[in-house]
């Protein structure tokens, strides 16, 4: 049986809503933090995992196994930069410790848009923004979706900033297999689970909204308008652009990623229409 792992965040709910059921005897599903999933995949404790895109870049011989993914084509709501100073004056940046991909994303944008390389400090899961001594703070997930306390010069929705700056979608996470894992038939299951989840946004939102301090309507809108769950040609170009940009400033290693296997996993579709 295949051992699958998924991120334990709200944005994964539509992808895994019926996944355990659809896997049946083909595999098992567990949920955990992104960093633990990446470690378990690298160590062989998982065969396939929904991991952050940065962890895919850092892996060796990993293969994207499905076009089910988590991305955005504009404002994402759940990934924000809160700046206490004008953005060009940011010298210290607090990074939500739950984030790896968004941490790289914000550093790429600050560098490219303003020539900044701020020093970084961690923001722990149990800390509030008032506890953090930094010019700017990256917040992700549930706590980024609530109104920010404090006074800020600028608040960025990083999905919106990325898509406007690069004119490409952004991919936060996708299903990846470690080398040597037999995944025949798995993509169809992952994509079917995604499709069922999309059809049931309303019931998924009703089940999870209150426990995250959101209304059902807000969470439904988040799934339907802020997130995109398909790894299409535009997303693949956005993923490759992110890898190149993050590599250029030393956030991910240059692992000879122009290999045939990497190109095949990203696809070779030349369609330039993001929609």
């Amino acid at each position: 049986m295949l051992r699958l792992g998924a991120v334990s965040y709200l944005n994964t709910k539509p992808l895994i809503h019926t996944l355990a059921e659809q896997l049946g005897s083909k595999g098992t599903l567990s949920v955990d933090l992104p960093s633990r999933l990446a470690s378990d995949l690298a160590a062989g404790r998982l065969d396939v995992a929904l991991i952050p895109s940065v962890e895919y870049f850092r892996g060796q011989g990993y293969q994207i196994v499905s076009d089910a993914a988590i991305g955005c084509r504009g404002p994402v709501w759940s990934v924000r930069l809160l700046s206490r100073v004008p953005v060009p004056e940011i010298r210290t940046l607090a990074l939500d410790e739950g984030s790896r991909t968004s941490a790289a994303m914000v550093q790429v944008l600050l560098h490219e848009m303003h020539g900044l390389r701020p020093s970084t400090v961690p923001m722990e899961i149990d800390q509030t923004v008032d506890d953090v001594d930094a010019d700017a703070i990256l917040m992700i997930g549930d706590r980024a979706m609530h109104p920010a306390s404090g006074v800020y010069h600028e608040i960025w929705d990083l999905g919106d900033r990325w898509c406007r700056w690069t004119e490409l979608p952004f991919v936060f996470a996708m299903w990846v297999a470690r080398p040597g894992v037999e995944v025949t038939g798995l993509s169809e299951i992952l994509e079917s689970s995604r499709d069922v989840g999309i059809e049931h946004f309303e019931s998924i939102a009703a089940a999870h909204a209150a426990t995250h301090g959101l209304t059902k309507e807000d969470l439904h809108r988040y799934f339907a308008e802020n997130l995109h769950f398909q790894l299409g040609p535009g997303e693949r170009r956005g993923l490759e652009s992110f890898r190149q940009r993050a590599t250029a400033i030393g956030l991910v290693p240059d692992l000879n990623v122009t290999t045939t296997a990497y190109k095949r996993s990203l696809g070779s579709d030349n369609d330039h229409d993001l929609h």
Side-chain angles (χ1 to χ4, degrees), residues 30-256:
S30 59
V31 295
D32 211 332
L33 297 174
S35 58
R36 292 177 184 168
L37 292 178
S39 297
D40 286 348
L41 188 66
R45 292 186 291 270
L46 288 173
D47 302 308
V48 177
L50 182 67
I51 62 171
S53 53
V54 159
E55 299 300 342
Y56 170 61
F57 303 150
R58 292 171 177 162
Q60 295 280 359
Y62 286 172
Q63 175 189 4
I64 298 174
V65 297
S66 171
D67 72 7
I70 300 170
C72 70
R73 293 181 167 185
V76 70
W77 187 24
S78 56
V79 184
R80 296 195 295 171
L81 177 72
L82 313 178
S83 184
R84 293 167 168 154
V85 300
V87 167
E89 299 176 15
I90 294 174
R91 298 295 178 266
T92 54
L93 172 64
L95 299 175
D96 191 312
E97 71 174 2
S99 166
R100 294 191 179 186
T101 291
S102 298
M105 178 192 196
V106 69
Q107 290 177 85
V108 165
L109 289 172
L110 289 174
H111 175 69
E112 293 192 4
M113 297 176 71
H114 295 283
L116 299 176
R117 292 302 306 273
S119 59
T120 62
V121 296
M123 179 181 176
E124 298 177 2
I125 296 296
D126 59 354
Q127 283 186 293
T128 68
V129 292
D130 295 332
D131 299 327
V132 179
D133 182 15
D135 294 331
I137 301 162
L138 169 71
M139 295 185 70
I140 69 163
D142 303 356
R143 59 181 175 178
M145 299 166 76
H146 295 283
S149 62
V151 178
Y152 301 95
H153 276 267
E154 291 190 54
I155 297 179
W156 285 8
D157 180 302
L158 291 180
D160 184 54
R161 293 282 170 164
W162 171 272
C163 294
R164 289 177 182 271
W165 179 251
T166 67
E167 298 184 338
L168 290 166
F170 191 81
V171 179
F172 291 98
M174 55 277 183
W175 289 105
V176 170
R178 60 182 175 82
V181 173
E182 174 54 56
V183 294
T184 301
L186 181 61
S187 64
E188 291 84 356
I189 294 173
L190 296 173
E191 288 151 25
S192 174
S193 180
R194 183 267 319 278
D195 294 345
V196 171
I198 289 173
E199 292 174 0
H200 290 84
F201 278 161
E202 186 170 355
S203 61
I204 296 171
H208 297 284
T211 56
H212 293 271
L214 300 169
T215 68
K216 180 181 72 174
E217 293 75 17
D218 281 343
L219 188 51
H220 184 282
R221 190 179 309 113
Y222 175 58
F223 291 150
E225 298 179 9
N226 296 112
L227 298 178
H228 187 72
F229 294 100
Q230 181 147 357
L231 191 66
E235 283 71 30
R236 293 177 184 272
R237 290 194 302 276
L239 187 63
E240 172 61 7
S241 177
F242 180 40
R243 184 201 61 76
Q244 292 176 358
R245 293 165 190 262
T247 299
I249 60 173
L251 298 177
V252 298
D254 188 346
L255 296 175
N256 189 28

